[in-house]
Amino acid sequence: MGSLTEDPAFRATTFVVIDFETTTPTGFPAQPIEVAALALRCEDGAWKETGRSASLIRPPAFAPVTPADTAQTGLTAEQLQQAPTPAQALGALDRRLAVGTPYLLVAQHAATEAGIIHHQAEHCPTLARTDLLDTIPLAKHLIPGLANYKLDTLLAHFGIPQPADRHRAPADVDVTAKVFLHLISAAENDPQLLDLAALVKTAGRTAKANRPIQADLFDA
């Protein structure tokens, strides 16, 4: 391994790969119906899984599971009737984040996950204050010239088999984690990605809760 994974800040960070499945009601933001997370640390030159979590989530009445949602995920309204509420599921995940530990969330198209978390921030305040890394800009930097940077395209590029339950959060987290590790391996040979700060500059996304509040432009 090269300089990136030898950087003390990189090695001190726990990378939490996260994925949501959602239903998207008209006039409302996407509502989570499943979440999965996988925590990884780079220790002594090797990656170690330090935690794993997955839960179904019961959507609110204004965001019922539609046939299109079921076609995409395989999840049905009946399966989610007795699932934990967003407060229960996301609260449980939030409590797994240890105070004082540096975390970065990792997601494919992190804007989606960032938006979901932001709208559920009352249930997961620690998660909502955790910044993100997006595999898409990182892949664009490291593997220029692909036709697109969708997850399926990156899986094919790296020779990662499609999971049978693709579009379920636990399966998507597993394959996104594999893509992330392949990208970090490629980053070891990139002179522009020598430390965590450079990685964040290339592929980071600041959590909305951490963004500065702009003064009103029309203040007298």
Side-chain angles (χ1 to χ4, degrees), residues 19 21 52 72-73 151-156 159-179:
D19 183 76
E21 301 303 329
R52 182 182 288 264
Q72 172 87 350
T73 67
L151 182 56
D152 289 342
T153 302
L154 294 176
L155 295 181
I160 300 169
Q162 285 264 357
D165 48 355
R166 175 82 172 87
H167 297 298
R168 288 292 304 274
D172 285 0
V173 154
D174 279 338
V175 292
T176 300
K178 290 176 181 178
V179 166

Coordinates of all heavy atoms in Angstrom, one line a residue, residues 19 21 52 72-73 151-156 159-179:
D19 N -26.4 2.7 2.3 CA -27.3 2.7 1.1 C -28.8 2.6 1.7 O -29.0 2.0 2.7 CB -27.1 1.4 0.2 CG -28.0 1.4 -1.0 OD1 -27.7 2.2 -1.9 OD2 -29.0 0.7 -1.0
E21 N -32.9 2.2 0.4 CA -34.0 2.0 -0.6 C -35.1 2.9 -0.2 O -35.4 3.1 1.1 CB -34.4 0.6 -0.7 CG -33.3 -0.4 -1.1 CD -32.6 -0.1 -2.4 OE1 -33.3 0.5 -3.3 OE2 -31.4 -0.3 -2.5
R52 N -21.7 -3.8 11.0 CA -22.6 -4.0 9.9 C -24.0 -3.9 10.5 O -24.3 -4.3 11.6 CB -22.4 -5.4 9.3 CG -23.3 -5.8 8.2 CD -23.1 -7.2 7.7 NE -21.8 -7.3 7.0 CZ -21.6 -7.3 5.7 NH1 -22.7 -7.1 4.9 NH2 -20.5 -7.5 5.2
Q72 N -38.7 -2.6 -8.3 CA -37.3 -2.2 -8.2 C -36.6 -3.0 -7.1 O -35.5 -3.5 -7.3 CB -37.2 -0.7 -7.9 CG -35.8 -0.2 -7.5 CD -35.0 0.2 -8.8 OE1 -35.4 -0.1 -9.9 NE2 -33.9 0.8 -8.6
T73 N -37.3 -3.1 -5.9 CA -36.6 -3.6 -4.7 C -37.0 -5.0 -4.3 O -36.3 -5.7 -3.6 CB -36.8 -2.7 -3.5 OG1 -38.2 -2.7 -3.2 CG2 -36.4 -1.3 -3.8
L151 N -23.5 2.3 -10.8 CA -23.0 1.2 -10.0 C -22.8 -0.1 -10.8 O -21.7 -0.8 -10.8 CB -23.9 0.9 -8.8 CG -23.4 -0.2 -7.9 CD1 -22.0 0.1 -7.3 CD2 -24.4 -0.4 -6.7
D152 N -23.7 -0.4 -11.7 CA -23.6 -1.6 -12.5 C -22.4 -1.6 -13.4 O -21.7 -2.6 -13.7 CB -24.9 -1.9 -13.3 CG -26.0 -2.3 -12.4 OD1 -25.8 -2.8 -11.3 OD2 -27.2 -2.2 -12.9
T153 N -22.1 -0.4 -14.0 CA -21.0 -0.2 -14.9 C -19.7 -0.4 -14.1 O -18.7 -1.0 -14.6 CB -21.0 1.2 -15.5 OG1 -22.3 1.4 -16.2 CG2 -19.9 1.4 -16.4
L154 N -19.6 0.1 -12.9 CA -18.4 0.0 -12.1 C -18.2 -1.5 -11.6 O -17.1 -2.0 -11.6 CB -18.5 0.9 -10.9 CG -18.4 2.4 -11.2 CD1 -18.6 3.2 -9.9 CD2 -17.1 2.8 -11.9
L155 N -19.3 -2.1 -11.3 CA -19.2 -3.6 -11.0 C -18.6 -4.3 -12.2 O -17.7 -5.2 -12.0 CB -20.6 -4.1 -10.6 CG -21.3 -3.6 -9.4 CD1 -22.6 -4.3 -9.2 CD2 -20.4 -3.8 -8.2
A156 N -19.1 -4.1 -13.4 CA -18.6 -4.8 -14.6 C -17.1 -4.4 -14.8 O -16.3 -5.3 -15.1 CB -19.5 -4.4 -15.8
G159 N -15.1 -6.4 -12.4 CA -15.3 -7.8 -12.4 C -16.0 -8.3 -11.2 O -15.8 -9.4 -10.7
I160 N -16.8 -7.4 -10.6 CA -17.5 -7.8 -9.3 C -18.9 -8.4 -9.7 O -19.7 -7.7 -10.4 CB -17.7 -6.6 -8.4 CG1 -16.4 -5.9 -8.0 CG2 -18.6 -6.9 -7.2 CD1 -16.5 -4.6 -7.4
P161 N -19.2 -9.6 -9.3 CA -20.5 -10.2 -9.8 C -21.7 -9.4 -9.2 O -21.7 -8.9 -8.1 CB -20.4 -11.6 -9.1 CG -19.0 -11.8 -8.8 CD -18.4 -10.5 -8.5
Q162 N -22.7 -9.4 -10.1 CA -24.0 -8.8 -9.7 C -24.6 -9.6 -8.6 O -24.8 -10.8 -8.7 CB -24.9 -8.7 -10.8 CG -24.6 -7.6 -11.8 CD -25.4 -6.3 -11.6 OE1 -26.3 -6.3 -10.7 NE2 -25.1 -5.3 -12.3
P163 N -25.0 -9.0 -7.4 CA -25.7 -9.9 -6.4 C -27.1 -10.2 -6.9 O -27.7 -9.5 -7.7 CB -25.8 -8.9 -5.2 CG -25.7 -7.5 -5.8 CD -24.9 -7.6 -7.0
A164 N -27.6 -11.4 -6.4 CA -28.9 -11.8 -6.8 C -30.0 -10.8 -6.4 O -31.0 -10.6 -7.1 CB -29.2 -13.2 -6.2
D165 N -29.8 -10.2 -5.2 CA -30.8 -9.2 -4.7 C -30.3 -7.8 -4.9 O -30.5 -7.0 -4.0 CB -31.1 -9.5 -3.3 CG -29.9 -9.7 -2.4 OD1 -28.8 -9.7 -2.9 OD2 -30.0 -9.9 -1.2
R166 N -29.8 -7.5 -6.1 CA -29.4 -6.1 -6.4 C -30.7 -5.2 -6.2 O -31.8 -5.6 -6.5 CB -29.0 -6.1 -7.9 CG -28.7 -4.7 -8.5 CD -27.3 -4.2 -8.1 NE -27.0 -3.0 -8.9 CZ -27.4 -1.8 -8.5 NH1 -28.0 -1.6 -7.3 NH2 -27.1 -0.7 -9.3
H167 N -30.4 -4.0 -5.7 CA -31.5 -3.0 -5.4 C -32.1 -3.3 -4.0 O -33.1 -2.7 -3.7 CB -32.5 -2.9 -6.4 CG -32.0 -2.3 -7.7 ND1 -31.4 -1.1 -7.8 CD2 -31.9 -2.9 -9.0 CE1 -31.0 -0.9 -9.1 NE2 -31.3 -2.0 -9.8
R168 N -31.5 -4.2 -3.2 CA -31.8 -4.3 -1.8 C -30.6 -3.7 -1.1 O -29.5 -3.8 -1.5 CB -32.0 -5.7 -1.3 CG -33.3 -6.4 -1.8 CD -34.5 -5.7 -1.2 NE -34.5 -5.8 0.3 CZ -34.9 -6.8 1.0 NH1 -35.4 -7.9 0.4 NH2 -34.8 -6.8 2.3
A169 N -30.8 -2.9 0.0 CA -29.8 -2.2 0.6 C -28.6 -3.0 1.1 O -27.4 -2.6 0.8 CB -30.4 -1.4 1.8
P170 N -28.8 -4.2 1.7 CA -27.6 -4.9 2.2 C -26.7 -5.4 1.0 O -25.5 -5.3 1.1 CB -28.2 -6.1 2.9 CG -29.6 -5.6 3.4 CD -30.0 -4.7 2.3
A171 N -27.4 -5.8 -0.1 CA -26.6 -6.3 -1.2 C -25.9 -5.1 -1.9 O -24.7 -5.2 -2.3 CB -27.5 -6.9 -2.3
D172 N -26.5 -4.0 -2.0 CA -25.9 -2.8 -2.6 C -24.8 -2.2 -1.8 O -23.8 -1.8 -2.3 CB -27.0 -1.7 -2.9 CG -27.9 -2.1 -4.1 OD1 -27.7 -3.2 -4.7 OD2 -28.8 -1.3 -4.4
V173 N -24.9 -2.3 -0.5 CA -23.8 -1.9 0.4 C -22.6 -2.8 0.2 O -21.5 -2.3 0.1 CB -24.3 -1.9 1.9 CG1 -23.1 -2.1 2.8 CG2 -24.9 -0.5 2.2
D174 N -22.8 -4.1 0.1 CA -21.7 -5.0 -0.1 C -21.0 -4.7 -1.4 O -19.7 -4.6 -1.4 CB -22.2 -6.4 -0.1 CG -22.4 -7.0 1.3 OD1 -21.9 -6.4 2.3 OD2 -23.2 -7.9 1.5
V175 N -21.7 -4.5 -2.5 CA -21.0 -4.3 -3.7 C -20.4 -2.9 -3.8 O -19.3 -2.7 -4.4 CB -21.8 -4.6 -5.0 CG1 -22.1 -6.1 -5.0 CG2 -23.1 -3.9 -5.0
T176 N -21.1 -1.9 -3.2 CA -20.5 -0.6 -3.2 C -19.2 -0.6 -2.4 O -18.2 0.1 -2.8 CB -21.5 0.4 -2.6 OG1 -22.7 0.5 -3.4 CG2 -20.9 1.9 -2.5
A177 N -19.2 -1.3 -1.3 CA -17.9 -1.4 -0.5 C -16.8 -2.0 -1.4 O -15.7 -1.6 -1.3 CB -18.2 -2.3 0.7
K178 N -17.1 -3.0 -2.1 CA -16.1 -3.7 -3.0 C -15.6 -2.7 -4.0 O -14.4 -2.6 -4.3 CB -16.7 -4.9 -3.7 CG -16.9 -6.1 -2.7 CD -17.6 -7.2 -3.4 CE -17.9 -8.4 -2.4 NZ -18.6 -9.5 -3.0
V179 N -16.5 -1.9 -4.6 CA -16.1 -0.8 -5.6 C -15.2 0.2 -4.9 O -14.1 0.6 -5.4 CB -17.3 -0.1 -6.2 CG1 -16.9 1.2 -6.9 CG2 -18.1 -1.1 -7.1

